[in-house]
Amino acid sequence: MRKAKRCPAAARAPLRALTLLRASPSRLRTPTALRGRPRTPTALRGRPPPPRPLRAPPRPGPVPGQALGGHGHAPPPQRAAAIPNVPRARPHRALGCSAAAPPSAARPRGGAAVPGRERGAVPGREGPPEPGAAALQAMAEGLCLNGRRRLGEAAEGPRAQKRRKADGGGPGLGPEEKSCRLSAALLGEGSEISQEQLYELLKYAALGKCHNAAQPSWCHIYHQRHLAGVVVVVLHEMSQLHFYRFYLQFKHLRKVFRHRFTLTPSANFLVSLYGEGANLKPENTPQGLTSTSSECITKSSDLQCDPIIQRYGEKKQGLTSYTLTLEEQKRNDYPIEGSPGCKGYISTECDQQRTDSSPLFGLDCEMCLTAKGNEVTRVSLVDARGRCLLNELVRPESTVVNYRTRFSGITKKMLLPVKTRLSDIQTKLKKMLPHDAVLVGHSLNSDLQALEMIHPSVIDTSLLFARSEGRRFKLKFLAKAVLGKEIQCEQKLGHDPTEDARAALELAQFFIEQGPTKVAELNLEMLLTAEKLAEVSQNKAVLQPQRCGFQEQLNEPPPLSKPCFLDCLKVTGQKPLLLGRQGLDSSGLCRRNLSTSNKQILQRALEDVPLSKFSIIQFSLGPDYIASHLHAGLHEKVRSKLTDMLTIYAGPFEENFCLKSVKKEFGRCGPIQSLTVVTETFQPYVCIQYEVLEAAQLAVESLNGAEVAGSCIKVQRPVTAAMLDCSVLIKELELDVENEGVIYVAGLKKSLTETDLQEEFSHLKDLETLFLPKDLQSGKHRNCCFLKFQKSQSAMDALEAINGWTMKGSELRSRNALAPGHLWRWIWQMNHSNGKQGKHIFYEQMEQLSDSEQDLRKKVKKLDHDIKKLYRSLQSNTLCVVLFPGVNSTHGSQSGLGLMGIKDDEGRSTC
């Protein structure tokens, strides 16, 4: 053997460490980076291990952000020029690299660290070392980290080792070095998320397991405790409709966020995000509050600030003073005679002038979710003495999608024998109500909308018992606090509309008889605070069992009366941040800043968001762009354009062509909704409307210029002004980050089941999810499916393999997906609507929409740019959720939209 050259002084310590490694290999644990590699042959054991690719040592200095609670980020990767064949260092392994050792090696129990080796430091050396010395030095550093404890580091107990292993870290890895990841199977029916499910996600992301928050049932956050923060961006009064109407303008949102879901709209959206408990401790509430009634008496000097006194004054008045004015009804989405969207509504014809002695009637309805939207399924009417005049079940016109049994009390079995229709109920109500009747209800606008009836004189108890900043008391709380009655008990199956109607009526009677001053002296805000504080303290130990029932409530509207997680954040010293134009919170739990423009909100957000663990940022297009008739106009435009994109024209054909063969050929591209022959042309053409965008595009691509039914035909979409940018839109949809790894497959036989398809496609590499769309009315699946793969390359390989593949005698056709997975139900509902909403829009209002739409496009583009700027300023490992809350108006309910992801080092959302 040749004698080794004497190494420079800087490399002597590594050589001593290497000598220890050679002399006693059996005492050292196998480094994490080398586990799973082939064992060293027996004949070669004891010899120096061959050089292996090693990770570069870290730069000197601590990891930035370690002093801020362990949520800092590793320095950017560096290449080690002095070490041959060294791969790029990974941020989460930046503490060093491991030395080679036999797999059976054990970790030593003691021993001092190599002199001069401290955490985060690299042994110094003068000048560029020789390659051999550098490799030995890196191996010695691995020995210091994996073979012995670092200088000043205490021994790690078994619990700490177990916790580190569960977190995904290896030996020598700190918790700050793990990158967070978010996964969710949002394809098809599973992509419609309720407010309760969204609350689960935000609560777990903000608090983690250490505060009794459970992992969300519909998605999974990996390494939650390493999240740098949670940022929720709320786009006020915007819906899924806005996003896809201005899809091309939302360039940043559609390219960054990998996860997208349809969101159930909520009447009080912001409260549903963090729970009604966020109203704890109003600014005028004294500290140390208890639930005794004597402490709930308000001083007379404080009454002037009460919202009830500010609205109605201190003197007692008659009932006519508490009925809603026409302007108030418009502002709160009550159906108004002659208003857009109310054509076809039935008037109660109670047009006689009201007096303070006019009769009061309590009204309440229960609704189920159908393909049309919210439809009434039960109606109750009580008179001024509380006697029930009407309590009937109603059979909805459309197919029920969700019975909402937990709240409505309606089941499928209950509606089977029911023959009563909405028109029958409308007739009965018209006969029962006198001409000067005053209807009373809690949020009565939703009941009248469901009944499709117009009544001029109403008292709304949710507005009568006024609160600040537009918030409302729940009927259950008012009945208990004012009347001393328990309603909507959890032991009962759903709400009793007769009970609710009677409670609302008695609340209105109490208010009229006692007057505003007596009601204000009850100090309902303080009573609510006391009740919520009691709930939080009593439920502290039983929060986990309550969450076990969330799985059964996924498709139900969220109960807002729950302990809020914002107060838990405050206990931990992390005060949330709320920014927006509206009064988002008055609890004192949040740092709140009200601004007058999106520009001011953005400036405040760039300054304050990095300092907050949980932030809600609210942007708005402004009051001029959220009018109800504009929503209706947008709905009609989107429906019309979607119909055009689903429609193709094929021809020309011979005079006596076989229509059946044409339907069969085009049916191989996907499910057909309608097929008609166009006879206005010299030669016949066929108009085909598909149910999915992919089918129409596949027909254009594969059958244009083909021979069908004995004719060489041309296939194209209709040419309209709205379709001029169709090719651009199709291209952008295909490149949508939501569609990465998703392909569309058509030509399936309807006899195939989902199990059959899973078996047929099981050999495809990296197949993650199979979604089989079903008709929402018949429940039968269509002749197509969607396949989602873990990797885009696997999807491309599957695309090539499936095209031309024969399954059970049927030839399959495939292409990349166009419509994001969460849109299946929405597209189906749009496609099967008859344009009823558009017919109710006056021409001048459509012209007004056209005039304002260009400005609206600019607003949306600027909004997207503001969100992009905010997103780029966020730290890595920040969970960002962008929410379009949805819209509830006289023109119907518009579903919301959510986009979410965890920002990685490259500025994109991890999946």
Side-chain angles (χ1 to χ4, degrees):
M1 295 178 59
R2 292 185 300 173
K3 290 186 178 180
K5 294 181 180 180
R6 184 174 181 82
C7 299
R12 292 176 188 171
L15 283 177
R16 288 197 296 272
L18 180 61
T19 304
L20 290 174
L21 177 64
R22 294 174 179 172
S24 161
S26 61
R27 298 186 60 199
L28 302 178
R29 168 178 277 184
T30 304
T32 306
L34 301 181
R35 290 175 194 167
R37 296 181 178 175
R39 294 176 179 268
T40 306
T42 307
L44 298 179
R45 290 178 186 169
R47 298 183 184 181
R52 297 183 185 273
L54 299 173
R55 296 186 179 90
R59 295 185 298 177
V63 177
Q66 287 180 344
L68 298 177
H71 293 289
H73 312 287
Q78 301 290 328
R79 288 192 179 274
I83 304 178
N85 301 322
V86 176
R88 189 182 180 105
R90 298 182 183 177
H92 68 283
R93 300 283 294 179
L95 288 179
C97 45
S98 305
S104 60
R107 187 170 184 166
R109 297 179 180 273
V114 175
R117 174 62 173 152
E118 297 182 2
R119 184 174 184 177
V122 181
R125 52 178 177 266
E126 297 179 2
E130 298 175 7
L136 293 174
Q137 178 179 347
M139 294 171 66
E141 290 172 5
L143 175 65
C144 296
L145 292 176
N146 295 287
R148 303 184 184 273
R149 294 193 299 272
R150 288 186 285 268
L151 189 62
E153 186 177 34
E156 190 179 51
R159 289 188 178 180
Q161 292 178 358
K162 185 176 181 181
R163 183 169 61 250
R164 185 182 62 196
K165 184 177 180 181
D167 189 60
L173 281 177
E176 66 276 12
E177 292 146 8
K178 296 302 297 179
S179 59
C180 303
R181 188 165 61 88
L182 177 67
S183 68
L186 298 171
L187 187 67
E189 299 296 334
S191 60
E192 187 169 357
I193 302 303
S194 66
Q195 302 290 336
E196 184 64 41
Q197 290 171 288
L198 180 61
Y199 177 84
E200 284 181 8
L201 169 66
L202 297 180
K203 183 174 182 179
Y204 178 75
L207 301 178
K209 294 180 180 178
C210 57
H211 293 283
N212 295 324
Q215 184 78 248
S217 56
W218 57 283
C219 62
H220 193 91
I221 299 179
Y222 297 88
H223 314 303
Q224 177 276 335
R225 65 194 187 99
H226 305 299
L227 279 176
V230 180
V231 176
V232 182
V233 178
V234 180
L235 305 182
H236 180 60
E237 288 292 330
M238 297 184 71
S239 66
Q240 185 170 257
L241 191 70
H242 290 83
F243 181 80
Y244 286 104
R245 173 58 181 166
F246 304 107
Y247 179 81
L248 296 177
Q249 280 72 34
F250 281 114
K251 186 176 180 180
H252 171 73
L253 291 186
R254 59 186 167 86
K255 289 188 176 181
V256 170
F257 293 95
R258 296 181 181 272
H259 301 289
R260 209 175 293 169
F261 54 88
T262 299
L263 187 63
T264 306
S266 171
N268 202 344
F269 181 75
L270 287 172
V271 171
S272 69
L273 287 186
Y274 43 76
E276 193 170 344
N279 295 327
L280 298 176
K281 207 182 299 178
E283 296 173 356
N284 62 345
T285 302
Q287 301 290 332
L289 173 69
T290 62
S291 59
T292 57
S293 59
S294 60
E295 291 179 303
C296 294
I297 300 175
T298 309
K299 296 180 181 179
S300 58
S301 58
D302 296 332
L303 283 179
Q304 303 301 324
C305 302
D306 192 285
I308 294 177
I309 300 299
Q310 291 179 345
R311 180 170 181 174
Y312 301 109
E314 298 182 8
K315 295 182 179 180
K316 188 187 303 185
Q317 304 176 61
L319 70 85
T320 53
S321 301
Y322 305 119
T323 56
L324 296 181
T325 64
L326 183 62
E327 186 60 35
E328 289 173 329
Q329 291 186 39
K330 289 180 180 178
R331 191 162 57 244
N332 290 281
D333 288 329
Y334 273 83
I336 306 296
E337 190 76 41
S339 64
C342 292
K343 188 175 181 180
Y345 279 31
I346 303 299
S347 174
T348 58
E349 298 180 0
C350 299
D351 49 4
Q352 188 173 323
Q353 186 176 1
R354 270 66 176 175
T355 65
D356 291 340
S357 59
S358 294
L360 298 176
F361 292 85
L363 177 67
D364 189 69
C365 300
E366 297 299 336
M367 278 79 77
C368 291
L369 182 64
T370 70
K372 179 183 176 182
N374 287 326
E375 287 196 60
V376 64
T377 49
R378 191 174 179 182
V379 183
S380 289
L381 183 73
V382 298
D383 64 9
R385 297 183 181 180
R387 295 176 300 184
C388 182
L389 305 179
L390 179 67
N391 184 18
E392 285 199 36
L393 294 172
V394 185
R395 189 176 188 84
E397 299 292 336
S398 304
T399 305
V400 177
V401 176
N402 190 341
Y403 286 92
R404 293 175 173 169
T405 305
R406 181 170 175 261
F407 296 92
S408 67
I410 304 298
T411 62
K412 182 178 181 180
K413 186 177 180 181
M414 292 172 62
L415 291 181
L416 285 177
V418 176
K419 303 296 182 182
T420 305
R421 295 288 186 175
L422 179 60
S423 57
D424 302 324
I425 294 297
Q426 292 172 338
T427 303
K428 289 183 180 181
L429 286 175
K430 285 182 64 175
K431 291 180 179 179
M432 288 181 176
L433 295 175
H435 292 293
D436 61 341
V438 177
L439 287 180
V440 180
H442 198 80
S443 297
L444 192 58
N445 59 310
S446 59
D447 300 306
L448 292 175
Q449 289 288 350
L451 289 169
E452 296 185 4
M453 297 191 74
I454 299 172
H455 188 78
S457 185
V458 295
I459 295 178
D460 192 333
T461 51
S462 70
L463 301 172
L464 184 65
F465 291 82
R467 297 182 72 184
S468 60
E469 299 174 348
R471 296 170 298 150
R472 303 188 187 189
F473 291 112
K474 297 182 72 173
L475 180 62
K476 181 177 181 179
F477 167 75
L478 288 175
K480 183 178 180 181
V482 179
L483 306 175
K485 291 186 175 183
E486 291 280 355
I487 64 171
Q488 301 176 359
C489 300
E490 295 181 1
Q491 293 79 8
K492 297 181 180 180
L493 182 64
H495 298 173
D496 183 350
T498 303
E499 181 183 61
D500 291 353
R502 190 177 290 118
L505 178 68
E506 292 178 6
L507 284 169
Q509 291 171 335
F510 178 90
F511 197 104
I512 296 169
E513 293 171 3
Q514 299 297 324
T517 301
K518 291 291 184 182
V519 175
E521 287 176 353
L522 293 176
N523 203 337
L524 296 174
E525 288 286 355
M526 190 174 290
L527 287 174
L528 180 62
T529 302
E531 180 180 296
K532 293 303 177 182
L533 287 173
E535 280 184 17
V536 172
S537 60
Q538 291 173 4
N539 296 338
K540 207 169 188 179
V542 294
L543 281 177
Q544 189 66 32
Q546 287 179 351
R547 274 191 300 275
C548 294
F550 283 173
Q551 189 68 25
E552 303 171 2
Q553 305 168 11
L554 297 183
N555 295 324
E556 304 289 352
L560 301 183
S561 181
K562 64 170 77 70
C564 166
F565 64 84
L566 295 189
D567 56 344
C568 300
L569 281 176
K570 186 180 180 183
V571 170
T572 62
Q574 303 171 8
K575 199 167 187 180
L577 171 69
L578 301 184
L579 292 175
R581 300 189 187 187
Q582 296 183 342
L584 307 183
D585 173 72
S586 63
S587 61
L589 293 173
C590 307
R591 292 183 289 120
R592 180 180 56 156
N593 290 283
L594 301 184
S595 304
T596 57
S597 67
N598 289 342
K599 183 178 180 180
Q600 291 182 359
I601 295 171
L602 177 62
Q603 290 175 346
R604 295 291 302 176
L606 295 176
E607 296 172 4
D608 296 344
V609 167
L611 306 177
S612 177
K613 179 71 176 178
F614 186 90
S615 307
I616 297 180
I617 316 299
Q618 186 188 54
F619 293 108
S620 175
L621 292 176
D624 296 337
Y625 300 98
I626 59 176
S628 297
H629 68 274
L630 293 183
H631 289 155
L634 286 176
H635 180 276
E636 176 59 20
K637 285 200 170 189
V638 171
R639 190 200 65 80
S640 177
K641 185 164 186 174
L642 180 61
T643 301
D644 288 342
M645 293 181 69
L646 292 168
T647 302
I648 63 167
Y649 288 90
F653 293 96
E654 298 296 332
E655 290 293 337
N656 298 320
F657 74 101
C658 179
L659 186 61
K660 185 176 181 180
S661 62
V662 172
K663 184 174 183 180
K664 181 179 179 181
E665 185 65 34
F666 280 89
R668 291 174 181 171
C669 296
I672 296 176
Q673 180 183 338
S674 64
L675 186 149
T676 56
V677 178
V678 180
T679 58
E680 287 82 355
T681 54
F682 177 70
Q683 288 180 288
Y685 281 74
V686 173
C687 175
I688 303 170
Q689 185 174 341
Y690 285 98
E691 293 188 7
V692 292
L693 289 173
E694 291 82 1
Q697 185 64 19
L698 191 58
V700 172
E701 293 170 347
S702 62
L703 295 178
N704 186 31
E707 185 174 335
V708 179
S711 301
C712 185
I713 62 170
K714 182 178 180 181
V715 181
Q716 64 180 19
R717 285 189 170 89
V719 180
T720 63
M723 292 290 288
L724 293 177
D725 62 351
C726 180
S727 58
V728 178
L729 186 57
I730 290 292
K731 182 179 178 180
E732 292 298 329
L733 283 170
E734 198 167 22
L735 297 175
D736 195 308
V737 67
E738 178 85 356
N739 290 326
E740 285 185 7
V742 183
I743 64 174
Y744 164 79
V745 181
L748 305 176
K749 284 194 171 182
K750 293 189 177 180
S751 59
L752 292 171
T753 64
E754 188 168 349
T755 305
D756 296 334
L757 294 175
Q758 288 175 347
E759 292 178 359
E760 292 287 343
F761 294 126
S762 60
H763 70 281
L764 297 176
K765 185 180 178 182
D766 297 327
L767 179 61
E768 181 180 343
T769 308
L770 183 148
F771 169 55
L772 191 63
K774 296 181 181 180
D775 189 285
L776 296 182
Q777 290 180 342
S778 65
K780 297 179 180 180
H781 82 77
R782 317 306 292 162
N783 62 335
C784 65
C785 71
F786 292 87
L787 303 178
K788 185 174 183 179
F789 294 84
Q790 296 175 1
K791 299 178 181 178
S792 299
Q793 185 59 45
S794 300
M796 293 174 62
D797 296 341
L799 196 62
E800 295 180 3
I802 291 175
N803 268 320
W805 184 15
T806 301
M807 181 185 292
K808 304 294 184 182
S810 178
E811 183 180 345
L812 303 184
R813 295 181 179 180
S814 180
R815 77 169 322 277
N816 293 323
L818 290 177
H822 68 281
L823 286 182
W824 164 252
R825 179 185 295 274
W826 191 61
I827 290 178
W828 189 94
Q829 291 175 342
M830 281 272 196
N831 199 21
H832 286 73
S833 65
N834 55 7
K836 178 181 177 181
Q837 288 177 304
K839 295 177 182 178
H840 295 165
I841 303 172
F842 298 117
Y843 288 110
E844 58 269 19
Q845 292 170 338
M846 291 297 292
E847 291 175 2
Q848 181 182 352
L849 174 62
S850 300
D851 294 339
S852 62
E853 194 166 8
Q854 191 62 30
D855 293 336
L856 189 54
R857 291 180 190 276
K858 295 178 181 178
K859 286 271 186 181
V860 168
K861 190 173 182 179
K862 181 63 170 65
L863 186 60
D864 181 72
H865 180 75
D866 290 344
I867 298 174
K868 176 182 177 180
K869 194 170 183 179
L870 174 62
Y871 185 80
R872 286 186 173 180
S873 72
L874 301 179
Q875 302 179 50
S876 295
N877 276 1
T878 297
L879 172 64
C880 185
V881 183
V882 180
L883 300 173
F884 294 71
V887 177
N888 282 311
S889 70
T890 56
H891 305 282
S893 175
Q894 296 295 340
S895 297
L897 175 70
L899 305 95
M900 63 179 183
I902 297 177
K903 184 183 177 184
D904 60 15
D905 290 324
E906 297 178 359
R908 291 192 66 178
S909 297
T910 58
C911 62

